[in-house]
Amino acid sequence: MIIYAGIDGTSAENDNDYGNTFKESFVRRLAYQYQSTYWSKPPYYHRGPYTWGVDTRWYAEDAYNYVVKHWNEGNAKAVFLGGYSRGAAAMIEVAWWLKYYQQIPVECLILFDPVDRSAS
């Protein structure tokens, strides 16, 4: 089975409509539309960082820890990471950390408009 982790795009802190705006995003759809078919565990999905981007690193660390924990359980065969905008930039970091700190290979990196605009 496959471990999937995804982080969506940026939004303002006071954006009460974030759920509606991103409910059909590809990152979210990959997480929840295919969870019973392909993913070995419930997928990791998180809304995107806020406008200022100071929380981008926290989201990346959270996704990294999720993947490492489930990979070490031993029943996953591959890791897929998905992200949009700053979420995609965070997933590039996650892929790098997985390779260099844990020697966990990332089979698939799905990026939509990655941007590196983060204070963290």
Side-chain angles (χ1 to χ4, degrees):
M1 295 301 263
I2 300 168
I3 297 171
Y4 174 79
I7 301 175
D8 236 322
T10 302
S11 180
E13 288 185 50
N14 60 357
D15 184 1
N16 296 326
D17 201 35
Y18 186 90
N20 287 331
T21 302
F22 284 89
K23 72 179 177 185
E24 294 296 325
S25 77
F26 287 117
V27 175
R28 183 178 175 85
R29 286 170 51 193
L30 284 168
Y32 297 116
Q33 191 167 342
Y34 301 105
Q35 68 180 343
S36 62
T37 307
Y38 299 107
W39 311 146
S40 58
K41 297 289 178 184
Y44 175 92
Y45 171 81
H46 207 288
R47 64 160 285 145
Y50 293 110
T51 304
W52 293 103
V54 295
D55 52 349
T56 305
R57 182 178 174 90
W58 181 87
Y59 291 156
E61 288 175 358
D62 199 41
Y64 168 81
N65 290 330
Y66 173 88
V67 171
V68 170
K69 176 185 174 205
H70 292 296
W71 182 266
N72 288 337
E73 290 175 355
N75 48 352
K77 303 292 184 216
V79 174
F80 284 21
L81 303 176
Y84 170 60
S85 189
R86 284 187 191 152
M91 286 313 205
I92 292 170
E93 283 296 306
V94 172
W96 190 88
W97 294 338
L98 289 169
K99 179 179 179 181
Y100 288 101
Y101 296 127
Q102 299 292 327
Q103 290 74 49
I104 296 174
V106 174
E107 182 76 20
C108 183
L109 189 56
I110 306 159
L111 305 174
F112 301 96
D113 192 26
V115 296
D116 187 14
R117 294 180 179 252
S118 171
S120 60

